[in-house]
Amino acid sequence: MTDQERPLRVGVAGLGVMGRNHARVLSELREADLVCGFDPDPATAEAARAYGAEPMTDAQAFIDAGLDAAVVATPNRHHAELGCALLERGISVLVEKPIAADLAGARALIEAAKTSGGTLMVGHVERFNPAVEAVKRAIAQDDIISVQITRVGPFPPRMGEVGVVIDLAVHDIDIIRHLTASEIVEVQPQLARTHADREDTALLQFRTDRGVIAQINTNWVTPYKARILQVATRQKFVVADLMTRQVSEYFDYAPDGSYSTRMLHTWPAEPLKAELSAFLASVRNKTPPPVTGEDGLANLEVALRCLEAA
């Protein structure tokens, strides 16, 4: 078996809900050999065995495990320190969103990747949602006027360190930048606390450097989950349910108020599997990842601006 054919040796750091999802998918990918799973809590680390991986409770042992690549799904405050240590050993890193707890940590990760030559990718998994990809194709040649995203649901008991802006809205900040191919230059946030120590309701308004206006409505107070993306262009209006992955396009507006509509094709695909496959391909082929460290830095910078401005 040649080096190009050999599965990449991969480990997962942080075996909470998201880390276990990464481990599950990696254990199913032919291009990956899931070697180990690290978590400082011994009982949590044992989850690695379910995916055929060695449990580890020592971070240095994880770094020394001879990995080609690693997923960092630890709490945000550990992203930069562990990610940099891995990159400095030549181990490529997929770090869960947000890229780091602060801008200094994000910049340190980017610099470590440049110095080592390793791949640094940020886990903004919604980019790989088939509904988001369908919307991007539908508006590819259009002049975008506005983007509106609703991401609401009940309070998640697992949360403790961040509010809705960092946990939820950062997904949609990335979607806005991705769909508009532009940077957010103006932020107008409104935040509220209802049942939590941190903001659990946010209405965020933006303008990009190309003049697109955007809005994110997100909270942890709605009793049901909803994930809706709406994009208005000069030619059409596109609506996507990011959970059911149904996408509708409205077009051919007539003076009498009538219009045409059609459903856009999406396909059954797990976004996390597509994300991890893209990461491993980038590592193997030494090509830029689809979501770069600079993307993660830009998304975090906008999210922090929202918190500071409010």
Side-chain angles (χ1 to χ4, degrees):
M1 181 179 294
T2 67
D3 284 345
Q4 278 297 106
E5 296 170 329
R6 175 182 64 84
L8 295 173
R9 290 173 55 85
V10 186
V12 176
L15 291 171
V17 174
M18 200 64 210
R20 290 196 299 272
N21 279 330
H22 279 285
R24 171 183 58 81
V25 174
L26 286 166
S27 71
E28 297 169 354
L29 291 177
R30 289 183 300 175
E31 60 265 42
D33 175 13
L34 182 61
V35 175
C36 54
F38 158 70
D39 199 284
D41 178 69
T44 304
E46 282 298 313
R49 294 192 192 279
Y51 308 105
E54 178 186 356
M56 292 183 171
T57 57
D58 181 73
Q60 191 59 51
F62 181 76
I63 295 167
D64 294 338
L67 303 174
D68 299 305
V71 173
V72 175
T74 60
N76 304 343
R77 65 183 183 275
H78 299 305
H79 285 187
E81 181 181 6
L82 182 56
C84 285
L86 290 162
L87 287 163
E88 288 164 3
R89 288 289 295 271
I91 301 165
S92 292
V93 169
L94 169 64
V95 59
E96 261 300 333
K97 63 82 191 168
I99 181 174
D102 53 38
L103 299 181
R107 294 187 181 107
L109 282 166
I110 292 168
E111 185 59 33
K114 288 179 179 177
T115 301
S116 69
T119 298
L120 172 62
M121 180 168 160
V122 184
H124 284 284
V125 71
E126 287 284 35
R127 285 215 196 182
F128 301 88
N129 188 319
V132 173
E133 294 182 343
V135 172
K136 188 166 178 62
R137 288 195 307 273
I139 63 174
Q141 306 302 319
D142 294 356
D143 186 7
I144 303 171
I145 304 301
S146 67
V147 179
Q148 183 168 325
I149 305 174
T150 299
R151 185 180 297 271
V152 298
F155 184 81
R158 67 183 176 85
M159 296 309 302
E161 295 187 356
V162 297
V164 292
V165 172
I166 296 295
D167 185 55
L168 296 184
V170 75
H171 280 297
D172 303 313
I173 291 168
D174 184 69
I175 289 174
I176 292 165
R177 294 181 56 255
H178 178 55
L179 293 180
T180 64
S182 59
E183 298 299 331
I184 293 169
V185 294
E186 295 180 24
V187 302
Q188 296 180 5
Q190 298 291 334
L191 309 181
R193 298 180 185 182
T194 306
H195 305 298
D197 294 335
R198 297 173 178 84
E199 83 285 349
D200 57 12
T201 298
L203 180 61
L204 312 176
Q205 294 180 305
F206 307 103
R207 185 179 296 274
T208 77
D209 56 12
R210 294 188 177 181
V212 179
I213 59 174
Q215 182 182 79
I216 298 171
N217 173 26
T218 186
N219 69 53
W220 282 330
V221 299
T222 304
Y224 57 86
K225 275 190 175 183
R227 307 283 188 266
I228 305 297
L229 168 63
Q230 299 173 305
V231 181
T233 78
R234 296 193 184 280
Q235 295 80 21
K236 65 187 68 165
F237 187 73
V238 183
V239 181
D241 186 318
L242 303 186
M243 295 175 66
T244 66
R245 298 172 191 170
Q246 292 182 316
V247 183
S248 302
E249 183 181 77
Y250 303 83
F251 59 100
D252 283 350
Y253 307 121
D256 64 0
S258 63
Y259 54 85
S260 300
T261 183
R262 62 188 167 206
M263 299 294 292
L264 298 184
H265 174 70
T266 60
W267 54 95
E270 183 176 4
L272 187 61
K273 182 176 182 181
E275 177 185 74
L276 286 165
S277 293
F279 169 60
L280 296 174
S282 177
V283 173
R284 185 179 297 281
N285 300 323
K286 301 187 184 303
T287 53
V291 188
T292 64
E294 287 79 6
D295 285 323
L297 173 62
N299 296 331
L300 179 61
E301 189 271 337
V302 172
L304 292 177
R305 282 172 61 194
C306 289
L307 293 175
E308 292 162 3

